[in-house]
Amino acid sequence: TIEIQEGNLVNYILKPFSHLVDHFIGELGWRMIQGAMGFVVLLFFLFALHVPISITTSPPILILLIFSMVFAYIVSFLCKMILGISAFWFTDFRGMQEIVEVLILLFGGFLMPLEFYPQILQTITHFLPFAYFAYYPVILAEGKLDIMQGIMVLGVQVMWIAVLAVIYDFLWKRGLYNFTGVGR
């Protein structure tokens, strides 16, 4: 976003690497550190505070969980990149960014488990990508989903990856027509 607003996007356009791939790799390191810190906190709750946390030990579910976590990162990343390239059209998009953050909190299961929502909101959450960022990987890790349900979650995540990738590509190409870069 800042690159678009400040005109530094020219540096990415002239490189043989994709802007999307460059940001994906750049953010991957931070996400791995963030995940490791979360794992340390989990271990603290388990062993120091003796909080009973249910974690599956089923190897097939753990394999599905690994794929689900990778897909969750990709879905989340693509949503954020789509939001970021909205800077092609808007000079200040902080309001839109805050609305999306509220939607993620509400429909992503961050405030409370989605089962506690009224049925209409539960239905809405299944048609939005936000619950696939963290909620479904977490309940998969807890062992609350069987193998078929886990495979369905992966299928929906792959579907969201495909849909968001098409949307990103379309908006990226359209946004480049609006972009004006000035050299230094």
Side-chain angles (χ1 to χ4, degrees), residues 91-107:
T91 55
D92 186 10
F93 76 105
R94 283 180 293 202
M96 186 169 41
Q97 184 179 13
E98 290 175 11
I99 289 171
V100 170
E101 287 175 11
V102 168
L103 290 174
I104 290 170
L105 287 173
L106 281 175
F107 296 116

Side-chain angles (χ1 to χ4, degrees), residues 26-179:
E27 190 169 317
L28 190 59
W30 165 244
R31 293 296 175 195
M32 292 175 76
I33 291 170
Q34 193 177 34
M37 290 176 4
F39 187 69
V40 168
V41 169
L42 175 68
L43 291 177
F44 175 75
F45 277 102
L46 280 173
F47 297 112
L49 300 179
H50 304 291
V51 175
I53 298 175
S54 167
I55 299 176
T56 186
T57 56
S58 166
I61 298 292
L62 290 173
I63 291 170
L64 290 175
L65 176 62
I66 291 169
F67 281 103
S68 181
M69 288 169 39
V70 170
F71 294 162
Y73 167 65
I74 295 170
V75 172
S76 171
F77 175 79
L78 285 170
C79 282
K80 290 177 184 177
M81 287 299 289
I82 289 169
L83 183 62
I85 63 173
S86 67
F88 280 129
W89 295 277
F90 303 106
T91 55
D92 186 10
F93 76 105
R94 283 180 293 202
M96 186 169 41
Q97 184 179 13
E98 290 175 11
I99 289 171
V100 170
E101 287 175 11
V102 168
L103 290 174
I104 290 170
L105 287 173
L106 281 175
F107 296 116
F110 289 95
L111 294 178
M112 65 179 156
L114 298 180
E115 301 90 50
F116 295 164
Y117 284 17
Q119 188 59 44
I120 185 72
L121 289 180
Q122 286 183 36
T123 304
I124 291 171
T125 62
H126 295 297
F127 292 104
L128 297 173
F130 309 127
Y132 298 92
F133 292 3
Y135 180 74
Y136 286 112
V138 166
I139 64 171
L140 190 60
E142 291 176 336
K144 292 183 178 178
L145 300 178
D146 61 29
I147 292 173
M148 285 310 297
Q149 291 169 321
I151 290 171
M152 286 176 35
V153 166
L154 291 181
V156 173
Q157 286 177 317
V158 168
M159 184 266 317
W160 273 116
I161 290 169
V163 167
L164 294 171
V166 167
I167 291 170
Y168 174 84
D169 188 57
F170 174 78
L171 293 176
W172 175 256
K173 288 176 181 172
R174 299 282 287 187
L176 286 178
Y177 289 116
N178 295 339
F179 178 72

